[in-house]
Amino acid sequence: MAKPYISLKPTEQTLTTAAAGIFAAYITAGRVPNGEEKSWMDRAIREAIRIARTIDESVQSDGEFD
């Protein structure tokens, strides 16, 4: 069986790391019931995106000018 090829851009890599951390915290806290992993993973992804958007709106990084 061939391994899937995944190529993530730097922003996607960062969001993947953040979402994985949030999802792992849910699991560690015992909040993810058996069979509901996908919905909690989707929630973690949405929260990681919300965090990233909040940071983007709050911080002006190098190269960003109004």
Side-chain angles (χ1 to χ4, degrees):
M1 184 170 156
K3 292 182 182 180
Y5 176 76
I6 298 174
S7 178
L8 300 175
K9 294 182 180 180
T11 301
E12 295 167 329
Q13 293 171 1
T14 302
L15 287 171
T16 298
T17 301
I22 294 167
F23 186 49
Y26 288 148
I27 292 170
T28 301
R31 297 186 64 187
V32 182
N34 288 335
E36 293 187 27
E37 294 85 359
K38 179 161 180 0
S39 65
W40 282 87
M41 181 177 61
D42 291 342
R43 178 180 176 166
I45 293 167
R46 287 191 309 271
E47 290 180 357
I49 293 169
R50 186 171 54 232
I51 290 168
R53 285 184 177 151
T54 301
I55 291 169
D56 188 46
E57 293 167 0
S58 302
V59 178
Q60 183 173 348
S61 63
D62 296 339
E64 285 186 330
F65 301 100
D66 288 333

